[in-house]
Amino acid sequence: MKQKTAPTPSPIERRGLVLILSSPSGAGKTTLTRNIANAGGWRLELSISVTTRERRPSEIDGRHYHFIDREAFEGLRARDDLLEWAEVHGNFYGTPRRAVEKTLAEGRDMIFDIDYQGTRQVRERLQDDVVTVFILPPSFSELRHRLERRAEDSPATIEKRLANARNEMQRWVEYDYVIVNDDLDESFRALESILAAERLKRVRRTGLAGFVDSMLAEPASLV
Ligand SMILES: Nc1nc2c(ncn2[C@@H]2O[C@H](COP(=O)(O)OP(=O)(O)O)[C@@H](O)[C@H]2O)c(=O)[nH]1
Ligand SMILES: Nc1ncnc2c1ncn2[C@@H]1O[C@H](COP(=O)(O)OP(=O)(O)O)[C@@H](O)[C@H]1O
């Protein structure tokens, strides 16, 4: 009878990870998050948050955020349907739990664009499966220029975001990596390097032990 050979364990097999990007408003985290999620080769699933903030002219409900009212938000919170949530600039934001659990269970990686308060909650829950990146602007005046050029918020909203930026900016010390987003292409390459290296980390490589064992089990005569 022909012997069935066990499939060789794959060295590629590993646990899924969550890549989190945070920054003060206008530093470029949304741009970087969307660019790497849309660059198909990286196979990163973008988490779509719920928020009570008003939709900006360029935003699409269900693509950029799920725009909901305060009552619906409270309902999600009460049912424990949010992996994390926070109040930022006077609005509420949260990450729907189920989509994250499903994606990670399927062994796929995710990317979150969330603030430092949410980052703390996710880190507490997912521990080693979280990689955090803080995006800084090259200067405070450039931050203002970017918010003005984006032209999506009222002058009062921009001032509020700039005032909050002073507090948010100081959270860089809580993150694994920091990118100063001056040249966008360079920042994108830095983000790619982080993801590539994190995917190779030994602690995530669930397939390696079996792979090495099967290699060592090869008959010496074949070596
Ligand atoms: N904790 C948490 N923060 C979020 C979530 N979604 C967005 N944020 C953060 O809320 C802040 C405001 O986001 P947004 O209104 O899109 O404005 P922007 O930062 O100017 O692009 C940013 O710091 C986002 O990272 C979320 O689901 N949870
Ligand atoms: N490196 C960069 N150089 C110049 N403009 C940038 C750069 N990165 C992002 N931007 C622009 O700055 C504005 C704010 O970026 P955005 O990604 O919306 O920031 P955030 O999500 O952090 O608020 C957008 O108009 C975006 O196109």
Side-chain angles (χ1 to χ4, degrees):
M1 207 172 71
K2 217 173 160 194
Q3 278 239 297
K4 244 193 180 164
T5 46
T8 311
S10 168
I12 298 163
E13 204 177 284
R14 59 172 179 81
R15 288 216 308 274
L17 61 82
V18 170
L19 185 63
I20 299 182
L21 265 64
S22 300
S23 80
S25 186
K29 67 189 165 306
T30 307
T31 306
L32 285 165
T33 300
R34 301 244 156 203
N35 285 358
I36 200 158
N38 294 336
W42 286 105
R43 300 179 316 279
L44 268 179
E45 196 80 21
L46 179 64
S47 167
I48 310 292
S49 300
V50 293
T51 182
T52 61
R53 121 156 126 63
E54 256 184 52
R55 189 177 63 78
R56 292 179 182 142
S58 70
E59 289 176 328
I60 298 166
D61 191 16
R63 164 117 56 103
H64 295 93
Y65 282 105
H66 299 288
F67 295 95
I68 60 174
D69 62 21
R70 184 71 196 270
E71 199 184 331
F73 191 91
E74 291 303 335
L76 292 175
R77 246 176 68 183
R79 290 192 299 275
D80 199 24
D81 282 343
L82 299 178
L83 177 69
E84 61 76 33
W85 67 273
E87 184 178 356
V88 191
H89 315 310
N91 300 302
F92 288 86
Y93 297 83
T95 303
R97 173 200 298 283
R98 230 157 298 155
V100 176
E101 286 175 351
K102 181 172 179 285
T103 306
L104 291 182
E106 289 168 7
R108 287 183 290 142
D109 297 337
M110 295 201 79
I111 185 159
F112 291 6
D113 162 353
I114 63 173
D115 86 319
Y116 70 92
Q117 305 171 84
T119 302
R120 286 176 182 166
Q121 297 167 47
V122 179
R123 196 186 290 113
E124 202 157 282
R125 291 195 163 170
L126 302 180
Q127 313 236 331
D128 288 346
D129 295 337
V130 177
V131 180
T132 60
V133 183
F134 200 82
I135 311 296
L136 282 170
S139 68
F140 208 83
S141 60
E142 174 62 12
L143 194 65
R144 173 182 287 280
H145 290 144
R146 285 185 190 172
L147 285 175
E148 288 169 352
R149 274 201 305 265
R150 188 168 71 182
E152 298 261 8
D153 299 307
S154 68
T157 301
I158 290 179
E159 289 313 317
K160 187 172 194 180
R161 280 158 192 271
L162 285 172
N164 290 345
R166 296 191 179 276
N167 171 35
E168 288 169 335
M169 207 96 94
Q170 294 177 42
R171 308 299 169 170
W172 66 273
V173 290
E174 298 179 24
Y175 284 70
D176 299 321
Y177 298 93
V178 178
I179 296 175
V180 177
N181 179 24
D182 191 354
D183 179 80
L184 186 59
D185 290 341
E186 213 171 283
S187 301
F188 184 72
R189 281 195 295 276
L191 190 59
E192 288 185 308
S193 308
I194 291 168
L195 181 57
E198 285 290 337
R199 282 181 169 174
L200 292 173
K201 266 203 169 158
R202 175 177 50 78
V203 288
R204 307 191 201 292
R205 310 283 297 275
T206 47
L208 272 186
F211 172 72
V212 172
D213 283 352
S214 74
M215 193 158 37
L216 294 178
E218 277 177 34
S221 58
L222 293 179
V223 177

